[in-house]
Amino acid sequence: MSLIELNNVSKFYGRDESRTVALESIQMKVEVGDFISIMGPSGSGKSTLLNILGCMDVPSVGEYLLKGRSLKGVDHKELSHIRNKVISFVFQHFALLKNYSVYENVELPLLNRKLSTKEKREKIFTQLEKLGINKLYKKHPTQLSGGQQQRVAIARALVSDAEIILADEPTGALDQKTGRELLELLSSINENERKTIIVVTHDDKVAQYTRRIISINDGRIAADVANTENPQDVFKNTSNL
Ligand SMILES: Nc1ncnc2c1ncn2[C@@H]1O[C@H](COP(=O)(O)OP(=O)(O)O)[C@@H](O)[C@H]1O
Ligand SMILES: [Mg+2]
């Protein structure tokens, strides 16, 4: 049984003449521990696909199976419950709350969990330490660099113990070196913690860090290939990301 299975999924926006086909007949399986990049030009449907994979949006046509269970007809409340438990998002612009400290931002996914303050604190500091940002716990996002902010966003994604991490252009707002460090971090989280990670990117160098590259074009899957390239080799003779 696959972790996620999309059967013949299409997504339309608008009606009649103004109808846009954002995704068409997507057939796709995601296995536990996959590290996937979704590539394609702007407007090809990458974000739409990621939002559907993340249960932020529902297909117009077709079926979504999560661990073998169809999500057809599941109401909003239950969908958001599933999302909070199983799936975490990391966004290009980090999506941190400005008026909250680092600690409070990472705490957000735990707010409606039945945990004591001490248990929460332990979970939060475990993640902050893992990402090397524990000393920044009192700071606010505007006091941090882009790379530090993205680490806070990843700590927040990990603190809920979600099995699936979805990232939409996570390095898009970072400089090259910081972007590379972030991808190495995601690689190690994938390898060491068996998290399933799906990254949307339009950048081939970002995709080279992942182990499976799905290319989409005009809402259709154009290619789905295993990536055997070692990112270390890709970067040997280049400083670009
Ligand atoms: N909420 C929406 N309403 C109408 N059209 C949309 C909406 N979201 C995306 N689209 C359209 O769907 C297509 C795919 O968009 P998107 O998934 O954002 O592509 P990408 O992330 O690859 O740039 C585009 O033509 C876009 O204009
Ligand atoms: Mg997009």
Side-chain angles (χ1 to χ4, degrees):
M1 185 180 61
S2 299
L3 180 59
I4 295 175
E5 190 172 338
L6 298 184
N7 282 325
N8 199 29
V9 161
S10 297
K11 181 71 184 181
F12 314 122
Y13 291 109
R15 283 174 179 274
D16 305 325
E17 294 95 80
S18 64
R19 192 170 96 145
T20 306
V21 180
L23 292 176
E24 195 170 1
S25 308
I26 299 288
Q27 205 67 38
M28 165 176 184
K29 284 182 180 173
V30 176
E31 308 301 337
V32 173
D34 263 353
F35 187 15
I36 301 175
S37 49
I38 297 172
M39 290 203 72
S42 180
S44 57
K46 303 183 295 295
S47 294
T48 304
L49 179 57
L50 199 75
N51 288 342
I52 287 178
L53 287 168
C55 299
M56 302 276 274
D57 204 349
V58 291
S60 308
V61 174
E63 189 181 39
Y64 183 125
L65 298 172
L66 182 64
K67 299 181 190 178
R69 178 191 172 195
S70 173
L71 298 186
K72 212 164 211 153
V74 169
D75 65 28
H76 271 288
K77 201 171 157 216
E78 199 179 348
L79 209 56
S80 83
H81 181 70
I82 292 169
R83 194 169 54 225
N84 291 339
K85 228 172 74 183
V86 185
I87 301 164
S88 287
F89 272 88
V90 175
F91 299 95
Q92 176 174 0
H93 295 289
F94 324 132
L96 301 176
L97 299 183
K98 277 205 300 271
N99 298 324
Y100 283 55
S101 67
V102 165
Y103 184 92
E104 288 162 341
N105 268 283
V106 177
E107 187 182 26
L108 287 172
L110 302 178
L111 286 183
N112 53 11
R113 297 269 173 104
K114 289 193 183 73
L115 295 168
S116 69
T117 307
K118 184 165 171 278
E119 285 168 324
K120 280 185 189 171
R121 201 183 153 80
E122 271 172 19
K123 273 182 181 289
I124 293 164
F125 272 102
T126 301
Q127 297 308 330
L128 293 178
E129 274 161 30
K130 190 193 306 173
L131 294 167
I133 49 172
N134 46 313
K135 292 203 174 109
L136 304 174
Y137 76 101
K138 275 188 188 162
K139 298 231 186 247
H140 285 241
T142 50
Q143 299 172 293
L144 305 178
S145 69
Q148 289 169 335
Q149 288 182 57
Q150 195 57 302
R151 279 169 189 261
V152 177
I154 290 174
R156 185 179 58 187
L158 290 171
V159 82
S160 63
D161 282 328
E163 298 156 66
I164 305 170
I165 297 174
L166 304 178
D168 200 346
E169 302 275 6
T171 62
L174 303 177
D175 63 63
Q176 295 168 10
K177 180 170 169 282
T178 314
R180 239 175 287 163
E181 284 167 4
L182 186 89
L183 288 161
E184 274 156 21
L185 191 66
L186 289 176
S187 296
S188 80
I189 290 166
N190 168 253
E191 267 176 41
N192 302 331
E193 303 184 31
R194 292 268 297 161
K195 299 273 185 196
T196 305
I197 304 180
I198 306 177
V199 179
V200 157
T201 181
H202 62 268
D203 187 334
D204 188 52
K205 294 199 186 67
V206 170
Q208 289 307 335
Y209 274 88
T210 67
R211 291 197 280 185
R212 178 177 162 198
I213 303 176
I214 297 177
S215 307
I216 68 169
N217 212 340
D218 278 339
R220 290 174 168 274
I221 292 182
D224 184 346
V225 293
N227 178 31
T228 49
E229 199 130 18
N230 181 345
Q232 257 40 50
D233 297 337
V234 177
F235 285 102
K236 212 155 41 192
N237 299 311
T238 169
S239 58
N240 298 321
L241 182 71

